[in-house]
Structure formats: structure tokens, C-alpha cells
Amino acid sequence: MTSRLTLHSVTGPLIVTPSLIGDRRRLVQDVVMEPSETIQTLWDRIQARDWASVGELLANDVVVEWPVSGERIRGRHNYVRVNAEYPEGWSIKVLRILSSGDEVVSEVEVPHDTMGIFRVASFWTVNNGLVTSGREYWTELGADPSPEWRAPYVERV
């Protein structure tokens, strides 16, 4: 009896047999992660500072916007370098990932040893396992203090 494993790919189910495992290139070409898995893997690789592997998840012409700071990052290289050059002392904690089709939303907490705790809500588009675009809203916790008039209606967190 031949051992086999069924994976889902872009073109449908892929039966992986020992002979196919030997053809690693075909296996990598045919097996594509679900969009939510791509984003989880993206955050995992950023946390690991595995910058070459982060780049493997991005389309060459990826565009990521940061509306809060008024910036747009064009291209795989630039997105990887912006993250790689960020001052050390941070970690990534994925709070949730939601997806519908090729659209994925992630909420992440990024504590930094000296700069405070940041939260990011990211809206990603993933096609064939690659991030093609994103819009990330980064903010520091408490950066937008609540006005006094709301005090009777809200709880502090």
C-alpha cells in the first residue's frame, strides 16, 4: 500500500505520494496556503525576523498603506526593509485573524520595550498565497485620550 497525503491546492486536491515528495519544486508550486494562513505565517515570520521568508509571502509589486502616518510602501523589498529596520525591542502577538475569500483582517499587539504598546488593524488582500496589498492602522495604546464629556458613558481599559 502506497502512503499518501491529500493537500488542497490552487487547482484542486493534490495527492502527495513518496515520488511526488521527491519533486519538491512541484509540491511548492501546487500547494498554496489559505489567505488567513498566509497572514498568520506573515506575522510569525516577522516575529522570527526571518526577512527572506517574509519576502516569499509578498507579491513583487505589493503596496501597503499606513494612513495614520500618511505613508505608502511600494514593493516587496521596501516592505521587508521597513520591518527589518524597525528599532529592536518589539514582539508580535496576533490577537485575531478573520478572512472572507482573498480579503483578510488581522489585529495584532506589538509591545516595544521602550516605545510602548502598539496595536495594528491590518486589511490584506491575498492572491494565490501572496500578499498583494494591505492597509495597516498602527496606533499606540492610549495615544488618543478620551474627552471628559464621554466619562459618564465609558469604562477605561
Side-chain angles (χ1 to χ4, degrees):
M1 178 175 186
T2 304
S3 44
R4 50 189 258 173
L5 169 67
T6 303
L7 301 173
H8 295 280
S9 72
V10 176
T11 57
L14 172 69
I15 307 301
V16 180
T17 62
S19 63
L20 183 56
I21 290 171
D23 187 359
R24 183 172 181 234
R25 185 176 43 152
R26 173 156 162 60
L27 183 60
V28 170
Q29 280 179 325
D30 287 346
V31 178
V32 176
M33 288 184 272
E34 291 294 319
S36 61
E37 294 172 314
T38 298
I39 298 306
Q40 178 66 59
T41 303
L42 176 72
W43 287 118
D44 291 345
R45 290 179 182 180
I46 290 172
Q47 170 62 34
R49 279 93 166 147
D50 185 353
W51 305 118
S53 293
V54 168
E56 292 173 359
L57 297 173
L58 306 172
N60 242 352
D61 59 350
V62 66
V63 175
V64 179
E65 295 180 348
W66 289 350
V68 174
S69 59
E71 297 172 283
R72 178 176 296 126
I73 306 164
R74 288 189 186 276
R76 171 189 298 148
H77 174 78
N78 290 334
Y79 184 79
V80 169
R81 294 314 315 152
V82 162
N83 283 281
E85 298 295 326
Y86 196 83
E88 270 302 329
W90 54 268
S91 60
I92 301 288
K93 179 182 179 186
V94 176
L95 302 176
R96 74 176 109 184
I97 295 177
L98 306 168
S99 66
S100 177
D102 289 344
E103 302 298 318
V104 182
V105 177
S106 63
E107 180 185 7
V108 175
E109 184 171 274
V110 184
H112 192 283
D113 291 343
T114 59
M115 291 193 258
I117 300 172
F118 295 86
R119 286 274 174 91
V120 58
S122 304
F123 301 84
W124 305 103
T125 302
V126 179
N127 290 308
N128 295 321
L130 295 178
V131 177
T132 58
S133 66
R135 182 170 291 134
E136 297 187 291
Y137 294 88
W138 286 82
T139 187
E140 185 178 6
L141 292 185
D144 185 16
S146 61
E148 282 300 316
W149 68 265
R150 286 201 303 241
Y153 313 109
V154 301
E155 295 176 16
R156 301 292 302 163
V157 292

